[in-house]
Amino acid sequence: MISYFSHTSFRRSAFLQTRQFVVQSRSDGPRVVVLGSGWGGFNIASSFPMDSHSSATLELISPSNHFTFTPLIPSTAVGTLEFRAIQECVRTLPSVKQYYQAKCEEIDFEAQTVTCCGLWDKEIFTIPYDKLVLAQGVKTNTFNTPNVAEREGIEVFFLKNLHHARGIRNRTIEMFEIAALPDTSHKERKRLLSFIIVGGGPTSCEYASELHDFLTHDLIRLYPDLSEYVSITLIEAGPSLLGPFEANLRGYVERLFRRRNIDVRTGIAVTAVEPFRDPTYKHEASKAILSDGKEIEFGTMVWSAGLEPVKITAKLDVEKSQGRIVTDKYLRVKGQEGKVWAIGDCSTIEGGALPQLAQVAQQQAKYLAPVVAGEKGETDKPFSFFSLGSMASLGDGKGIYDGSHVGNPHGLEGMLPNLKGLAAWMAWRSAYWGKQVSTANKLLIPMYWFKSWAFGRDISRF
């Protein structure tokens, strides 16, 4: 989802007092303001009723002017898909009467205003609201591991947004090009081509699978002399990969990865990233310090180990549970009923916490859109999540689908068979292709899938 960060290079409090101006509404009707352009915010906007008799107008604030189809981000990190094939510009939505590319700095619930900082000019402006939807998402949790945040974008990369995927893709190609130089030693080649993936969730496993395909089908073909130096290590602090999935599917994935020579280490955490100098290396190096006392030198680390609240969520003076904003069963923020709602990863429902999944945020957005538009009463019907199951692509025509908990987690569940192998992989591709919003992306994605299969992935670095 979308992250919000404050600029700390100036005194924020004084700046807010001296440079602030108020953005007037373009309509006399209720002003609905949405924070975030991720699964929650984008789907509020795309589901906002345009034929409504209500005069409500929708305005969206986000530092990202596009929605990213996050399940396909691992594919873009290796070139199976191109970046623009999995994003949708928020300005193309007819319901969005005004979009502001800005970061939310403060929310005044009493005055009903949102204070923002423009992404480019750093100007401060305030937007009044009649109804506010908090959908700002979360950010990657580093668990305060030394040098992870500090080295981010150098040799450590997160995997939540398209710019992360672009960085990983360029870094991967760069490592191979450096390793291919004739004066690079064998020892340094081994370090450069060591890939560490931290976290055992679906994103990490899908990226490991995409990376394996990229290495074995494309890079090894183009750099045949480097195949003996390549290694992939997947590290998970918990007892197994893909914890929410059923045990037989988890076992299938671990066995598959080991057959692919992916070094799976469970029950182990990365306790630090340590830069160091080696006189035999041409470049500064880094190594991962593990909880079992071992060390791994690496060229690229992809960190996808957990989630934590973004800064604006942490600042809000509302009831929270484990850092998430608490709402009632109608998705209303406690103490702000009728004025503020929260959906997606940044929130949790009182007495019935839901997983931080895209399908939860999407269903909440579709439920809430007619409510904030004034077409439905805010207490007509409580929100009810219907689980569609869990799936993951494992590359090379393999995948898994866990249908054991399909249905309403608070009521009866409909059992569907678990799938693995080719059937699950085809279901994964079909489901995510069908969920694309624009016709353009529905055309582009199959074309890129065919291109990567028939002609290989692009390894140009730019």
Side-chain angles (χ1 to χ4, degrees):
M1 305 282 182
I2 303 300
S3 296
Y4 288 73
F5 301 91
S6 294
H7 294 270
T8 58
S9 57
F10 47 79
R11 294 181 180 177
R12 173 59 64 199
S13 59
F15 195 78
L16 291 176
Q17 292 172 5
T18 59
R19 302 291 298 276
Q20 191 173 157
F21 62 93
V22 178
V23 180
Q24 300 298 324
S25 176
R26 297 184 178 183
S27 170
D28 295 330
R31 194 177 197 175
V32 179
V33 175
V34 178
L35 295 187
S37 57
W39 282 92
F42 183 83
N43 279 283
I44 280 277
S46 62
S47 304
F48 201 78
M50 296 300 296
D51 56 350
S52 172
H53 298 297
S54 169
S55 58
T57 59
L58 187 143
E59 300 180 17
L60 194 144
I61 304 166
S62 173
S64 177
N65 74 347
H66 61 271
F67 160 73
T68 301
F69 196 87
T70 51
L72 297 180
I73 285 181
S75 298
T76 66
V78 300
T80 305
L81 294 174
E82 291 302 324
F83 304 107
R84 293 195 179 277
I86 68 165
Q87 59 84 29
E88 304 282 353
C89 181
V90 298
R91 288 190 180 273
T92 62
L93 297 175
S95 64
V96 178
K97 299 306 178 185
Q98 184 60 53
Y99 163 71
Y100 305 96
Q101 190 164 26
K103 299 177 181 181
C104 178
E105 299 285 352
E106 294 180 5
I107 299 174
D108 188 330
F109 292 124
E110 184 175 346
Q112 292 188 215
T113 59
V114 176
T115 300
C116 305
C117 177
L119 193 66
W120 306 110
D121 58 11
K122 305 301 184 287
E123 291 290 338
I124 298 298
F125 57 93
T126 297
I127 299 178
Y129 66 83
D130 296 297
K131 299 177 182 180
L132 176 65
V133 180
L134 305 176
Q136 60 266 31
V138 290
K139 63 181 179 180
T140 301
N141 193 343
T142 66
F143 302 100
N144 296 316
T145 306
N147 288 321
V148 171
E150 293 82 357
R151 306 296 293 182
E152 197 267 324
I154 303 174
E155 71 273 346
V156 179
F157 297 85
F158 303 146
L159 191 54
K160 280 187 65 61
N161 300 300
L162 284 180
H163 70 271
H164 295 145
R166 185 186 297 276
I168 293 169
R169 186 165 164 183
N170 282 338
R171 176 73 179 183
T172 302
I173 297 166
E174 178 184 342
M175 293 299 95
F176 271 83
E177 293 294 356
I178 295 174
L181 294 174
D183 57 343
T184 303
S185 68
H186 296 291
K187 183 180 177 183
E188 187 163 20
R189 285 175 177 172
K190 186 175 181 180
R191 177 189 67 80
L192 292 169
L193 301 181
S194 171
F195 296 85
I196 296 179
I197 304 165
V198 182
T203 299
S204 297
C205 291
E206 289 182 341
Y207 171 68
S209 302
E210 289 280 1
L211 179 61
H212 173 266
D213 286 0
F214 187 34
L215 297 176
T216 56
H217 298 323
D218 298 286
L219 289 178
I220 297 304
R221 172 175 54 85
L222 299 169
Y223 303 89
D225 296 336
L226 299 179
S227 59
E228 63 183 291
Y229 303 104
V230 179
S231 65
I232 303 174
T233 304
L234 182 56
I235 300 173
E236 162 59 27
S240 66
L241 303 179
L242 299 168
F245 284 72
E246 286 212 325
N248 66 322
L249 296 177
R250 297 198 304 266
Y252 170 78
V253 173
E254 293 193 13
R255 291 191 300 271
L256 177 65
F257 281 1
R258 289 193 168 100
R259 286 200 302 271
R260 293 174 174 175
N261 293 319
I262 297 175
D263 182 9
V264 177
R265 304 192 187 190
T266 56
I268 296 172
V270 175
T271 59
V273 170
E274 188 176 294
F276 70 98
R277 289 282 184 179
D278 186 310
T280 66
Y281 292 166
K282 295 188 298 180
H283 306 275
E284 183 184 32
S286 291
K287 57 186 176 183
I289 311 300
L290 307 184
S291 59
D292 62 358
K294 296 180 180 179
E295 300 178 355
I296 304 176
E297 297 182 12
F298 67 90
T300 305
M301 174 183 286
V302 175
W303 185 283
S304 183
L307 303 172
E308 67 175 331
V310 297
K311 186 168 290 187
I312 184 59
T313 302
K315 288 170 61 175
L316 292 180
D317 185 19
V318 295
E319 184 179 342
K320 295 174 192 155
S321 174
Q322 297 183 329
R324 300 169 70 182
I325 300 167
V326 176
T327 72
D328 63 15
K329 59 185 178 181
Y330 304 104
L331 308 184
R332 302 177 300 180
V333 174
K334 303 296 289 296
Q336 296 294 321
E337 290 82 358
K339 295 182 291 184
V340 185
W341 292 257
I343 61 176
D345 291 353
C346 71
S347 68
T348 184
I349 298 175
E350 183 180 37
L354 294 174
Q356 292 169 292
L357 299 174
Q359 59 177 299
V360 173
Q362 185 177 45
Q363 290 183 33
Q364 288 178 329
K366 292 181 180 296
Y367 160 87
L368 192 56
V371 174
V372 295
E375 280 201 340
K376 292 184 178 180
E378 60 184 81
T379 59
D380 284 357
K381 183 181 179 181
F383 171 74
S384 178
F385 171 59
F386 188 93
S387 174
L388 301 174
S390 302
M391 60 175 62
S393 171
L394 302 174
D396 263 346
K398 294 180 176 61
I400 56 171
Y401 171 74
D402 186 345
S404 60
H405 299 291
V406 169
N408 184 343
H410 301 300
L412 296 176
E413 295 178 345
M415 294 287 291
L416 288 181
N418 292 337
L419 302 175
K420 54 189 176 184
L422 179 61
W425 179 79
M426 293 178 64
W428 183 90
R429 283 205 165 184
S430 299
Y432 287 142
W433 175 81
K435 281 185 171 291
Q436 297 306 308
V437 176
S438 66
T439 302
N441 283 351
K442 285 189 175 181
L443 292 173
L444 285 173
I445 287 174
M447 290 171 59
Y448 283 124
W449 278 338
F450 175 77
K451 175 182 175 293
S452 64
W453 172 77
F455 305 107
R457 299 164 180 83
D458 179 36
I459 64 163
S460 302
R461 188 188 186 286
F462 54 89

PDB file of all heavy atoms in Angstrom, residues 197-200 233-240 263-271 288-296 305:
ATOM      1  N   ILE A 197      16.930 -13.050   0.359  1.00  0.00           N
ATOM      2  CA  ILE A 197      15.531 -12.592   0.473  1.00  0.00           C
ATOM      3  C   ILE A 197      15.103 -12.813   1.910  1.00  0.00           C
ATOM      4  O   ILE A 197      15.167 -13.937   2.421  1.00  0.00           O
ATOM      5  CB  ILE A 197      14.613 -13.353  -0.497  1.00  0.00           C
ATOM      6  CG1 ILE A 197      15.135 -13.218  -1.927  1.00  0.00           C
ATOM      7  CG2 ILE A 197      13.185 -12.844  -0.392  1.00  0.00           C
ATOM      8  CD1 ILE A 197      14.536 -14.210  -2.892  1.00  0.00           C
ATOM      9  N   VAL A 198      14.681 -11.740   2.569  1.00  0.00           N
ATOM     10  CA  VAL A 198      14.325 -11.809   3.978  1.00  0.00           C
ATOM     11  C   VAL A 198      12.806 -11.748   4.113  1.00  0.00           C
ATOM     12  O   VAL A 198      12.168 -10.788   3.674  1.00  0.00           O
ATOM     13  CB  VAL A 198      14.976 -10.667   4.784  1.00  0.00           C
ATOM     14  CG1 VAL A 198      14.633 -10.799   6.258  1.00  0.00           C
ATOM     15  CG2 VAL A 198      16.482 -10.668   4.572  1.00  0.00           C
ATOM     16  N   GLY A 199      12.227 -12.775   4.722  1.00  0.00           N
ATOM     17  CA  GLY A 199      10.781 -12.870   4.867  1.00  0.00           C
ATOM     18  C   GLY A 199      10.260 -14.080   4.121  1.00  0.00           C
ATOM     19  O   GLY A 199      10.735 -14.395   3.024  1.00  0.00           O
ATOM     20  N   GLY A 200       9.281 -14.754   4.724  1.00  0.00           N
ATOM     21  CA  GLY A 200       8.763 -15.979   4.114  1.00  0.00           C
ATOM     22  C   GLY A 200       7.319 -15.895   3.695  1.00  0.00           C
ATOM     23  O   GLY A 200       6.659 -16.928   3.547  1.00  0.00           O
ATOM     24  N   THR A 233      19.281 -17.216  -1.234  1.00  0.00           N
ATOM     25  CA  THR A 233      19.026 -17.636   0.141  1.00  0.00           C
ATOM     26  C   THR A 233      17.742 -16.959   0.620  1.00  0.00           C
ATOM     27  O   THR A 233      17.613 -15.734   0.525  1.00  0.00           O
ATOM     28  CB  THR A 233      20.182 -17.244   1.073  1.00  0.00           C
ATOM     29  OG1 THR A 233      21.403 -17.802   0.577  1.00  0.00           O
ATOM     30  CG2 THR A 233      19.931 -17.754   2.491  1.00  0.00           C
ATOM     31  N   LEU A 234      16.802 -17.758   1.097  1.00  0.00           N
ATOM     32  CA  LEU A 234      15.526 -17.251   1.600  1.00  0.00           C
ATOM     33  C   LEU A 234      15.493 -17.470   3.106  1.00  0.00           C
ATOM     34  O   LEU A 234      15.564 -18.612   3.583  1.00  0.00           O
ATOM     35  CB  LEU A 234      14.368 -17.985   0.922  1.00  0.00           C
ATOM     36  CG  LEU A 234      12.943 -17.564   1.276  1.00  0.00           C
ATOM     37  CD1 LEU A 234      12.728 -16.084   1.032  1.00  0.00           C
ATOM     38  CD2 LEU A 234      11.943 -18.374   0.460  1.00  0.00           C
ATOM     39  N   ILE A 235      15.395 -16.377   3.870  1.00  0.00           N
ATOM     40  CA  ILE A 235      15.489 -16.423   5.328  1.00  0.00           C
ATOM     41  C   ILE A 235      14.164 -16.007   5.948  1.00  0.00           C
ATOM     42  O   ILE A 235      13.632 -14.935   5.632  1.00  0.00           O
ATOM     43  CB  ILE A 235      16.617 -15.500   5.828  1.00  0.00           C
ATOM     44  CG1 ILE A 235      17.957 -15.940   5.236  1.00  0.00           C
ATOM     45  CG2 ILE A 235      16.675 -15.484   7.351  1.00  0.00           C
ATOM     46  CD1 ILE A 235      19.098 -14.991   5.525  1.00  0.00           C
ATOM     47  N   GLU A 236      13.623 -16.843   6.831  1.00  0.00           N
ATOM     48  CA  GLU A 236      12.357 -16.579   7.514  1.00  0.00           C
ATOM     49  C   GLU A 236      12.532 -16.819   9.003  1.00  0.00           C
ATOM     50  O   GLU A 236      13.002 -17.894   9.422  1.00  0.00           O
ATOM     51  CB  GLU A 236      11.256 -17.476   6.941  1.00  0.00           C
ATOM     52  CG  GLU A 236      10.013 -17.622   7.800  1.00  0.00           C
ATOM     53  CD  GLU A 236       9.305 -16.305   8.094  1.00  0.00           C
ATOM     54  OE1 GLU A 236       9.427 -15.352   7.284  1.00  0.00           O
ATOM     55  OE2 GLU A 236       8.652 -16.227   9.143  1.00  0.00           O
ATOM     56  N   ALA A 237      12.146 -15.825   9.810  1.00  0.00           N
ATOM     57  CA  ALA A 237      12.313 -15.944  11.256  1.00  0.00           C
ATOM     58  C   ALA A 237      11.346 -16.951  11.871  1.00  0.00           C
ATOM     59  O   ALA A 237      11.630 -17.532  12.926  1.00  0.00           O
ATOM     60  CB  ALA A 237      12.139 -14.580  11.912  1.00  0.00           C
ATOM     61  N   GLY A 238      10.211 -17.170  11.228  1.00  0.00           N
ATOM     62  CA  GLY A 238       9.233 -18.114  11.745  1.00  0.00           C
ATOM     63  C   GLY A 238       9.621 -19.550  11.450  1.00  0.00           C
ATOM     64  O   GLY A 238      10.624 -19.830  10.778  1.00  0.00           O
ATOM     65  N   PRO A 239       8.779 -20.493  11.904  1.00  0.00           N
ATOM     66  CA  PRO A 239       9.126 -21.907  11.734  1.00  0.00           C
ATOM     67  C   PRO A 239       8.992 -22.425  10.308  1.00  0.00           C
ATOM     68  O   PRO A 239       9.519 -23.500   9.987  1.00  0.00           O
ATOM     69  CB  PRO A 239       8.145 -22.625  12.669  1.00  0.00           C
ATOM     70  CG  PRO A 239       6.979 -21.681  12.791  1.00  0.00           C
ATOM     71  CD  PRO A 239       7.557 -20.312  12.716  1.00  0.00           C
ATOM     72  N   SER A 240       8.261 -21.719   9.437  1.00  0.00           N
ATOM     73  CA  SER A 240       8.078 -22.205   8.063  1.00  0.00           C
ATOM     74  C   SER A 240       7.755 -21.039   7.146  1.00  0.00           C
ATOM     75  O   SER A 240       7.390 -19.946   7.593  1.00  0.00           O
ATOM     76  CB  SER A 240       6.947 -23.243   8.000  1.00  0.00           C
ATOM     77  OG  SER A 240       5.705 -22.633   8.304  1.00  0.00           O
ATOM     78  N   ASP A 263      18.360 -21.853  -1.063  1.00  0.00           N
ATOM     79  CA  ASP A 263      18.728 -22.173   0.319  1.00  0.00           C
ATOM     80  C   ASP A 263      17.676 -21.584   1.256  1.00  0.00           C
ATOM     81  O   ASP A 263      17.672 -20.380   1.528  1.00  0.00           O
ATOM     82  CB  ASP A 263      20.113 -21.594   0.623  1.00  0.00           C
ATOM     83  CG  ASP A 263      20.598 -21.933   2.025  1.00  0.00           C
ATOM     84  OD1 ASP A 263      19.952 -22.759   2.706  1.00  0.00           O
ATOM     85  OD2 ASP A 263      21.624 -21.353   2.436  1.00  0.00           O
ATOM     86  N   VAL A 264      16.769 -22.421   1.754  1.00  0.00           N
ATOM     87  CA  VAL A 264      15.692 -21.978   2.648  1.00  0.00           C
ATOM     88  C   VAL A 264      16.139 -22.155   4.092  1.00  0.00           C
ATOM     89  O   VAL A 264      16.481 -23.265   4.525  1.00  0.00           O
ATOM     90  CB  VAL A 264      14.396 -22.775   2.391  1.00  0.00           C
ATOM     91  CG1 VAL A 264      13.304 -22.355   3.380  1.00  0.00           C
ATOM     92  CG2 VAL A 264      13.933 -22.587   0.952  1.00  0.00           C
ATOM     93  N   ARG A 265      16.123 -21.051   4.843  1.00  0.00           N
ATOM     94  CA  ARG A 265      16.517 -21.104   6.257  1.00  0.00           C
ATOM     95  C   ARG A 265      15.367 -20.548   7.098  1.00  0.00           C
ATOM     96  O   ARG A 265      15.098 -19.337   7.067  1.00  0.00           O
ATOM     97  CB  ARG A 265      17.787 -20.285   6.491  1.00  0.00           C
ATOM     98  CG  ARG A 265      18.966 -20.711   5.616  1.00  0.00           C
ATOM     99  CD  ARG A 265      20.257 -20.086   6.068  1.00  0.00           C
ATOM    100  NE  ARG A 265      21.344 -20.362   5.130  1.00  0.00           N
ATOM    101  CZ  ARG A 265      22.622 -20.104   5.369  1.00  0.00           C
ATOM    102  NH1 ARG A 265      22.982 -19.579   6.549  1.00  0.00           N
ATOM    103  NH2 ARG A 265      23.549 -20.359   4.464  1.00  0.00           N
ATOM    104  N   THR A 266      14.698 -21.425   7.816  1.00  0.00           N
ATOM    105  CA  THR A 266      13.591 -21.014   8.678  1.00  0.00           C
ATOM    106  C   THR A 266      14.037 -21.019  10.140  1.00  0.00           C
ATOM    107  O   THR A 266      15.008 -21.682  10.508  1.00  0.00           O
ATOM    108  CB  THR A 266      12.384 -21.941   8.488  1.00  0.00           C
ATOM    109  OG1 THR A 266      12.787 -23.307   8.726  1.00  0.00           O
ATOM    110  CG2 THR A 266      11.835 -21.839   7.076  1.00  0.00           C
ATOM    111  N   GLY A 267      13.300 -20.264  10.958  1.00  0.00           N
ATOM    112  CA  GLY A 267      13.666 -20.157  12.361  1.00  0.00           C
ATOM    113  C   GLY A 267      14.915 -19.332  12.590  1.00  0.00           C
ATOM    114  O   GLY A 267      15.541 -19.414  13.649  1.00  0.00           O
ATOM    115  N   ILE A 268      15.286 -18.533  11.621  1.00  0.00           N
ATOM    116  CA  ILE A 268      16.500 -17.722  11.681  1.00  0.00           C
ATOM    117  C   ILE A 268      16.152 -16.286  11.272  1.00  0.00           C
ATOM    118  O   ILE A 268      15.384 -16.079  10.326  1.00  0.00           O
ATOM    119  CB  ILE A 268      17.599 -18.283  10.764  1.00  0.00           C
ATOM    120  CG1 ILE A 268      18.025 -19.675  11.239  1.00  0.00           C
ATOM    121  CG2 ILE A 268      18.806 -17.355  10.690  1.00  0.00           C
ATOM    122  CD1 ILE A 268      18.953 -20.379  10.292  1.00  0.00           C
ATOM    123  N   ALA A 269      16.704 -15.321  11.969  1.00  0.00           N
ATOM    124  CA  ALA A 269      16.464 -13.911  11.656  1.00  0.00           C
ATOM    125  C   ALA A 269      17.766 -13.237  11.248  1.00  0.00           C
ATOM    126  O   ALA A 269      18.864 -13.666  11.642  1.00  0.00           O
ATOM    127  CB  ALA A 269      15.872 -13.194  12.870  1.00  0.00           C
ATOM    128  N   VAL A 270      17.646 -12.185  10.441  1.00  0.00           N
ATOM    129  CA  VAL A 270      18.785 -11.321  10.140  1.00  0.00           C
ATOM    130  C   VAL A 270      18.864 -10.294  11.264  1.00  0.00           C
ATOM    131  O   VAL A 270      17.941  -9.513  11.471  1.00  0.00           O
ATOM    132  CB  VAL A 270      18.624 -10.625   8.781  1.00  0.00           C
ATOM    133  CG1 VAL A 270      19.766  -9.631   8.553  1.00  0.00           C
ATOM    134  CG2 VAL A 270      18.596 -11.654   7.655  1.00  0.00           C
ATOM    135  N   THR A 271      19.935 -10.288  11.992  1.00  0.00           N
ATOM    136  CA  THR A 271      20.077  -9.384  13.142  1.00  0.00           C
ATOM    137  C   THR A 271      20.802  -8.091  12.788  1.00  0.00           C
ATOM    138  O   THR A 271      20.717  -7.117  13.538  1.00  0.00           O
ATOM    139  CB  THR A 271      20.823 -10.079  14.292  1.00  0.00           C
ATOM    140  OG1 THR A 271      22.116 -10.497  13.831  1.00  0.00           O
ATOM    141  CG2 THR A 271      20.040 -11.303  14.776  1.00  0.00           C
ATOM    142  N   ALA A 288      25.252 -10.202   5.809  1.00  0.00           N
ATOM    143  CA  ALA A 288      24.123 -10.349   6.726  1.00  0.00           C
ATOM    144  C   ALA A 288      24.585 -11.137   7.939  1.00  0.00           C
ATOM    145  O   ALA A 288      25.190 -12.208   7.796  1.00  0.00           O
ATOM    146  CB  ALA A 288      22.965 -11.062   6.036  1.00  0.00           C
ATOM    147  N   ILE A 289      24.300 -10.604   9.115  1.00  0.00           N
ATOM    148  CA  ILE A 289      24.597 -11.298  10.360  1.00  0.00           C
ATOM    149  C   ILE A 289      23.331 -12.013  10.797  1.00  0.00           C
ATOM    150  O   ILE A 289      22.271 -11.386  10.960  1.00  0.00           O
ATOM    151  CB  ILE A 289      25.058 -10.311  11.457  1.00  0.00           C
ATOM    152  CG1 ILE A 289      26.145  -9.376  10.914  1.00  0.00           C
ATOM    153  CG2 ILE A 289      25.523 -11.075  12.678  1.00  0.00           C
ATOM    154  CD1 ILE A 289      27.382 -10.081  10.431  1.00  0.00           C
ATOM    155  N   LEU A 290      23.390 -13.316  10.999  1.00  0.00           N
ATOM    156  CA  LEU A 290      22.212 -14.121  11.306  1.00  0.00           C
ATOM    157  C   LEU A 290      22.148 -14.461  12.789  1.00  0.00           C
ATOM    158  O   LEU A 290      23.156 -14.447  13.498  1.00  0.00           O
ATOM    159  CB  LEU A 290      22.223 -15.400  10.473  1.00  0.00           C
ATOM    160  CG  LEU A 290      22.377 -15.231   8.956  1.00  0.00           C
ATOM    161  CD1 LEU A 290      22.261 -16.585   8.266  1.00  0.00           C
ATOM    162  CD2 LEU A 290      21.351 -14.256   8.397  1.00  0.00           C
ATOM    163  N   SER A 291      20.927 -14.774  13.225  1.00  0.00           N
ATOM    164  CA  SER A 291      20.704 -15.064  14.638  1.00  0.00           C
ATOM    165  C   SER A 291      21.377 -16.356  15.094  1.00  0.00           C
ATOM    166  O   SER A 291      21.549 -16.573  16.294  1.00  0.00           O
ATOM    167  CB  SER A 291      19.202 -15.130  14.933  1.00  0.00           C
ATOM    168  OG  SER A 291      18.575 -16.131  14.137  1.00  0.00           O
ATOM    169  N   ASP A 292      21.753 -17.221  14.164  1.00  0.00           N
ATOM    170  CA  ASP A 292      22.441 -18.457  14.546  1.00  0.00           C
ATOM    171  C   ASP A 292      23.957 -18.289  14.575  1.00  0.00           C
ATOM    172  O   ASP A 292      24.700 -19.259  14.707  1.00  0.00           O
ATOM    173  CB  ASP A 292      22.058 -19.606  13.614  1.00  0.00           C
ATOM    174  CG  ASP A 292      22.454 -19.350  12.166  1.00  0.00           C
ATOM    175  OD1 ASP A 292      22.995 -18.258  11.872  1.00  0.00           O
ATOM    176  OD2 ASP A 292      22.210 -20.228  11.316  1.00  0.00           O
ATOM    177  N   GLY A 293      24.412 -17.025  14.421  1.00  0.00           N
ATOM    178  CA  GLY A 293      25.839 -16.737  14.486  1.00  0.00           C
ATOM    179  C   GLY A 293      26.548 -16.786  13.153  1.00  0.00           C
ATOM    180  O   GLY A 293      27.718 -16.403  13.067  1.00  0.00           O
ATOM    181  N   LYS A 294      25.880 -17.217  12.103  1.00  0.00           N
ATOM    182  CA  LYS A 294      26.512 -17.308  10.789  1.00  0.00           C
ATOM    183  C   LYS A 294      26.441 -15.957  10.068  1.00  0.00           C
ATOM    184  O   LYS A 294      25.659 -15.081  10.410  1.00  0.00           O
ATOM    185  CB  LYS A 294      25.844 -18.401   9.949  1.00  0.00           C
ATOM    186  CG  LYS A 294      26.033 -19.795  10.546  1.00  0.00           C
ATOM    187  CD  LYS A 294      25.363 -20.848   9.682  1.00  0.00           C
ATOM    188  CE  LYS A 294      25.543 -22.243  10.288  1.00  0.00           C
ATOM    189  NZ  LYS A 294      24.867 -23.283   9.475  1.00  0.00           N
ATOM    190  N   GLU A 295      27.277 -15.818   9.054  1.00  0.00           N
ATOM    191  CA  GLU A 295      27.313 -14.613   8.245  1.00  0.00           C
ATOM    192  C   GLU A 295      27.246 -14.991   6.772  1.00  0.00           C
ATOM    193  O   GLU A 295      27.779 -16.024   6.357  1.00  0.00           O
ATOM    194  CB  GLU A 295      28.610 -13.822   8.509  1.00  0.00           C
ATOM    195  CG  GLU A 295      28.771 -13.373   9.955  1.00  0.00           C
ATOM    196  CD  GLU A 295      30.092 -12.646  10.174  1.00  0.00           C
ATOM    197  OE1 GLU A 295      30.910 -12.594   9.219  1.00  0.00           O
ATOM    198  OE2 GLU A 295      30.311 -12.141  11.295  1.00  0.00           O
ATOM    199  N   ILE A 296      26.566 -14.141   5.977  1.00  0.00           N
ATOM    200  CA  ILE A 296      26.481 -14.368   4.534  1.00  0.00           C
ATOM    201  C   ILE A 296      26.843 -13.070   3.819  1.00  0.00           C
ATOM    202  O   ILE A 296      26.169 -12.047   4.002  1.00  0.00           O
ATOM    203  CB  ILE A 296      25.066 -14.807   4.097  1.00  0.00           C
ATOM    204  CG1 ILE A 296      24.611 -16.050   4.858  1.00  0.00           C
ATOM    205  CG2 ILE A 296      25.036 -15.074   2.595  1.00  0.00           C
ATOM    206  CD1 ILE A 296      23.185 -16.465   4.523  1.00  0.00           C
ATOM    207  N   ALA A 305       9.940  -8.439   5.224  1.00  0.00           N
ATOM    208  CA  ALA A 305       9.772  -9.235   6.438  1.00  0.00           C
ATOM    209  C   ALA A 305       8.610  -8.829   7.324  1.00  0.00           C
ATOM    210  O   ALA A 305       8.328  -9.516   8.297  1.00  0.00           O
ATOM    211  CB  ALA A 305      11.067  -9.182   7.257  1.00  0.00           C
TER     212      ALA A 305
END
